[in-house]
Amino acid sequence: MAIKIERIEEGSEAQSLGLQPGDELLSVDENELNDTLDYDFYTDSKSFHLKAKVADGIREWDVQREARGPFGCDFHTYLGDEKHSCSNHCMFCFIDQLPPGMRESLYFKDDDERLSFLFGNYITMTNMQDHEIDRIIKMHISPINISVHTTNPQLRVRMLANKRAGEVLKYLPRLVEGGIAVNCQLVLCRGINDGDELRRTLSDLLELTPMVQSIAAVPCGVTDYRKNLFKQTPYDAETSAAVIDIMEEFGDECLRRHGKRIIYPSDEWYLKAGRPIPDGSFYGDYDQLENGVGMMRLFEEEFLAELAKPHRLFGSKQMDVVTGTMASPLITRMMDELHRQYPMIEVNVHTIQNKFFGGNVGVAGLVTATDIIAQCEGKLKSGTLGVPAVMLREEKDTFLDDMTIAQLGERLGVKVEVLPVSGGDEARALLRTGLHISRRRH
């Protein structure tokens, strides 16, 4: 294996050796280089033996450096090769339920352990082999995020539609024994891997704690685009409450054993069950925010904490904001509290029903500009529309339906302001009225 150099950093040690763009790095200390993780790990040394393929053949160097650190090579991608794609056909896969006509990149399913370490992506391990597990342990690539779903091998094969889905469960104890911290995700499908199967899964994972440092359960998302896919029955209040009871029971046991819950239901279960979101102390360090675990509680705590600080505003502010159906009660309550404490600020909340995806999709992060336009046109009370940053993709200005915030503003005839994700940052953004003077809090 080899990785091709795209760029050489000016003044770097790689440049001093005479390496050029287009050269291929083959090995360091006889360790093959497959990607940037190999490259970073093996070149982060004061001395190493480098082998590369250059224009006139194979060359080798004994590199001696004053200090460890970056060697100076950049590659075509941040991985040095292409992302590993998913080989599963999960009965709950959200990408399989996307509407047609969206950007091609949105339909790509990754299942790459390197993205798990670098960006927090969850992997199923079905396209991994023993040597890749060995590499993770050797390099101490930790933590790794794993989509477990069930520890019943036969059921996991059925749920992921992959014959290796059951056998790769053996990698979980190997990672833990190798000192790798693991975060686990369970996507629950009603009547499939909940109930007694959920108890089995949590019992098995409990034996791997505390190196399994967090476990989150989320309900299967269901859109209107499930033609020819496995029939999923959305959770209702009763079945959601049953999941909460099991998760909290096992969380109580983790709290007794380890001093932290480790096992958490996502916020959506509490909303569906009509139960209050637990207090902040329930969530510890908020290890599973990306799975919507404690996100609403943290947002509220940070928002109210910012309001409790001394602010003095001069002038007034009127604004419209959009949110999804799940967060709407919380956002409305926070905007009412903001107005109560600062009457000169008035924020009108518009709850966007997700017609674009349909089904039971209610999270703000999947709201599209198409739905915002359809449901807000002619109803905005101000000249500014606040859009949560979570609705935008990596480009920071584009919705899932490929419309930009500039296009949204033009269609609605308003200025669009992107609101920060955290509660404290959003409160500060809303408290900006243009002119601030200091004051003592009364």
Side-chain angles (χ1 to χ4, degrees), residues 398-431:
T398 307
F399 292 86
L400 271 174
D401 54 356
D402 224 15
M403 189 176 294
T404 65
I405 55 175
Q407 292 169 323
L408 174 67
E410 185 177 347
R411 286 287 304 271
L412 293 176
V414 296
K415 174 189 173 184
V416 176
E417 180 178 329
V418 179
L419 297 175
V421 173
S422 80
D425 290 342
E426 179 164 318
R428 281 189 289 276
L430 294 170
L431 285 164

Side-chain angles (χ1 to χ4, degrees), residues 32-50:
E32 286 189 347
L33 300 183
N34 301 283
D35 53 33
T36 53
L37 265 67
D38 284 339
Y39 165 79
D40 289 337
F41 183 78
Y42 291 115
T43 62
D44 186 22
S45 174
K46 294 176 69 173
S47 64
F48 54 86
H49 184 79
L50 175 67

Side-chain angles (χ1 to χ4, degrees), residues 23-92:
D23 293 346
E24 297 180 21
L25 302 182
L26 301 177
S27 67
V28 173
D29 292 335
E30 300 186 358
N31 295 292
E32 286 189 347
L33 300 183
N34 301 283
D35 53 33
T36 53
L37 265 67
D38 284 339
Y39 165 79
D40 289 337
F41 183 78
Y42 291 115
T43 62
D44 186 22
S45 174
K46 294 176 69 173
S47 64
F48 54 86
H49 184 79
L50 175 67
K51 185 177 182 180
K53 181 180 179 182
V54 298
D56 58 355
I58 305 296
R59 288 195 61 187
E60 300 185 40
W61 300 263
D62 285 313
V63 179
Q64 301 290 331
R65 305 199 288 168
E66 292 184 0
R68 298 167 54 182
F71 182 56
C73 298
D74 287 325
F75 308 97
H76 177 61
T77 69
Y78 53 82
L79 292 173
D81 69 350
E82 300 305 315
K83 292 184 287 189
H84 297 166
S85 62
C86 180
S87 57
N88 308 317
H89 300 281
C90 301
M91 62 169 59
F92 50 80

Side-chain angles (χ1 to χ4, degrees), residues 146-183:
I146 298 177
S147 290
V148 177
H149 310 312
T150 177
T151 55
N152 178 334
Q154 292 76 30
L155 180 58
R156 197 167 193 259
V157 168
R158 176 189 170 202
M159 291 188 71
L160 275 58
N162 186 316
K163 63 183 181 181
R164 296 197 69 233
E167 68 180 82
V168 297
L169 287 170
K170 67 184 180 183
Y171 293 149
L172 271 170
R174 275 190 60 191
L175 290 169
V176 165
E177 290 163 8
I180 305 301
V182 176
N183 298 305

Side-chain angles (χ1 to χ4, degrees), residues 101-115:
M102 300 176 73
R103 276 179 293 167
E104 186 176 348
S105 61
L106 295 174
Y107 299 97
F108 178 77
K109 305 177 188 178
D110 71 74
D111 197 9
D112 195 319
E113 76 278 5
R114 300 164 302 177
L115 300 182

